[in-house]
Amino acid sequence: MRAETLRILCATAVATTILATPATAAPAAPPPAAPPPAAQSVGRLLTELQKLYRQAEQATETYNATAVALKKQQREAALLGKDLTKARKDLTASRAAAGRLARRQYQGDSELSPYVRLLLARDPRSALDQGHVLRRLTDRRARTIDRLTAGEKHAASLATRSRKALDKQTALAGQQKKQRDTVRQKLAEVEKLLAGLSAEELAELSRLETAGTEKAQQSLLASGALGAPGPGGSPAATRAPSSAGDKAVRHAVRQIGKPYVWGAEGPESYDCSGLTSQAWAEAGRTIPRTSQEQWKQLPRVPLKSLRPGDLVVYFPDATHVALYLGDGLVVQAPRPGTKVKVSPIAANPLLGAVRPDPGAPPVDDYRPPKLPKGARDGSDTGYGSATAPDA
């Protein structure tokens, strides 16, 4: 039953999508007639699925953020470990030098002061020369002691910092495990809910989802939120991207057909922000790993000014992101059970858009990349197999 359930389910558009920008609001309409009980039941299922999947994606992006912090902490701990090893090596050398000085002093080396040597010397000039040598030896010994003292303090400080870094690393690893378990729990709830649906319920769910996406897309284009629509309500003309944006788009298009895997950032599989961050990395620009940080750190751009390569961010808490392709379409990794694909920009509730390279000029004579066959096939928001892999 589960395999048949997961095979039949093909689309997860947001039937009750409400776009975040005022320009996309649809005109008020008379309340529709009450749907039959079966439709109401499937509608409630759709709402519950949307809720569960959104919670799962929130947990996934939190997991991704912790993974970034853990990698950073591991690098810091490794660098501190190297510094501590070097400091301890230098401290050992300083202690050895101090020990040699102590032995020489114990054996009576240079016991007489320069003044006494001057009084006893037959040749005062020779005694003065010896005094100069003694002063140099004394200075050398003082520097050795200073190095030993400073080295001990430095090694102690590094040891303390290294312990704290390792403790933080351990805490982050534990936190990441809890977040992984949360994602698995949410995805298991989705799969359990899907496995209990009949073929008729799945078909109705798919119909509602598809209708919701189509309605949201038509409403967005008609509103002019993407610019003045073309003939027949078609999307506004696509602007030319920057050189880096062009490279990011082409990389994303080459990933079409690869599976969504939560926490993945390529090259064999992706989650939503893994796809966008790697696409721009291939274009030569490092951007934040998670959708929340992409929304938080990158410059905002109005929807009317979208150009290919811009990042389109979804939901009020920025838990989903896609790469704008042009013509009102995006390239995205939708959800577990789906593959990287081309979707309508309104497949999820829009929050806004950001541009990784706001100052870059557009390229001349832009030609959009050719899409592979079946690039738009499959679910746009996807409630397919929800089993989370090991991480």
Side-chain angles (χ1 to χ4, degrees):
M1 176 59 188
R2 173 179 292 187
E4 179 64 15
T5 297
L6 301 181
R7 183 187 68 79
I8 296 176
L9 190 62
C10 64
T12 314
V14 181
T16 56
T17 296
I18 299 177
L19 298 177
T21 55
T24 63
Q40 289 180 343
S41 176
V42 174
R44 286 195 297 269
L45 286 173
L46 176 58
T47 300
E48 182 64 19
L49 286 170
Q50 291 169 351
K51 176 183 175 182
L52 288 174
Y53 241 109
R54 184 176 171 192
Q55 290 174 347
E57 192 155 38
Q58 286 175 324
T60 298
E61 289 300 281
T62 302
Y63 171 92
N64 289 338
T66 303
V68 172
L70 179 58
K71 288 180 182 179
K72 181 179 179 181
Q73 194 61 44
Q74 288 171 335
R75 289 194 296 268
E76 180 181 347
L79 289 174
L80 284 171
K82 290 181 180 179
D83 291 344
L84 181 57
T85 299
K86 183 178 183 300
R88 285 173 172 167
K89 184 178 179 181
D90 294 342
L91 182 58
T92 299
S94 297
R95 284 172 174 166
R100 288 193 296 271
L101 287 176
R103 287 193 296 272
R104 288 175 60 185
Q105 185 171 0
Y106 178 77
Q107 293 167 359
D109 183 23
S110 303
E111 285 294 323
L112 296 177
S113 70
Y115 178 70
V116 174
R117 287 178 178 274
L118 181 61
L119 293 177
L120 299 178
R122 293 181 179 179
D123 183 357
R125 177 175 293 278
S126 176
L128 289 172
D129 291 341
Q130 291 177 10
H132 177 68
V133 172
L134 288 172
R135 284 193 298 273
R136 291 178 59 189
L137 290 173
T138 300
D139 291 342
R140 186 189 305 169
R141 291 175 182 177
R143 288 194 296 271
T144 300
I145 299 301
D146 289 343
R147 283 198 301 271
L148 176 60
T149 303
E152 288 176 339
K153 292 181 179 179
H154 183 54
S157 175
L158 283 175
T160 299
R161 291 170 58 194
S162 182
R163 283 194 300 271
K164 290 182 178 180
L166 289 173
D167 288 345
K168 187 174 181 180
Q169 178 178 320
T170 301
L172 283 171
Q175 182 179 343
Q176 187 184 43
K177 183 180 182 300
K178 291 180 180 179
Q179 291 163 352
R180 178 199 64 191
D181 293 342
T182 298
V183 176
R184 287 176 171 173
Q185 176 191 345
K186 294 300 179 183
L187 295 180
E189 290 177 24
V190 171
E191 189 164 290
K192 181 179 179 180
L193 184 58
L194 290 172
L197 299 181
S198 66
E200 292 76 12
E201 288 173 325
L202 289 171
E204 178 62 16
L205 183 65
S206 177
R207 187 194 67 77
L208 285 176
E209 293 164 347
T210 302
T213 293
E214 292 176 352
K215 181 179 179 181
Q217 184 76 356
Q218 291 172 2
S219 176
L220 176 65
L221 297 179
S223 72
L226 298 182
S234 61
T238 297
R239 297 173 181 82
S242 65
S243 176
D246 184 21
K247 293 176 182 177
V249 167
R250 293 180 188 281
H251 177 79
V253 167
R254 289 195 296 270
Q255 311 316 304
I256 290 175
K258 294 185 178 180
Y260 178 107
V261 173
W262 72 271
E265 48 188 329
E268 300 303 324
S269 57
Y270 297 89
D271 64 14
C272 67
S273 57
L275 176 66
T276 55
S277 61
Q278 286 304 307
W280 273 95
E282 287 293 322
R285 185 174 181 85
T286 300
I287 64 173
R289 167 63 175 90
T290 67
S291 57
Q292 290 98 333
E293 290 301 309
Q294 290 170 4
W295 174 249
K296 180 180 178 181
Q297 296 185 31
L298 299 177
R300 308 283 170 84
V301 59
L303 294 179
K304 289 184 177 181
S305 301
L306 276 175
R307 67 185 186 184
D310 289 343
L311 306 186
V312 182
V313 185
Y314 298 94
F315 299 106
D317 39 13
T319 51
H320 189 68
V321 64
L323 195 82
Y324 190 61
L325 180 63
D327 292 330
L329 302 174
V330 295
V331 183
Q332 64 160 340
R335 299 287 193 278
T338 64
K339 297 179 180 181
V340 176
K341 67 180 298 289
V342 174
S343 302
I345 191 175
N348 291 290
L350 279 163
L351 175 61
V354 293
R355 179 169 293 167
D357 59 344
V363 298
D364 296 328
D365 300 323
Y366 173 62
R367 295 183 180 180
K370 184 178 179 180
L371 299 179
K373 184 179 180 180
R376 298 189 62 172
D377 292 348
S379 172
D380 287 312
T381 48
Y383 297 139
S385 174
T387 303
D390 291 334

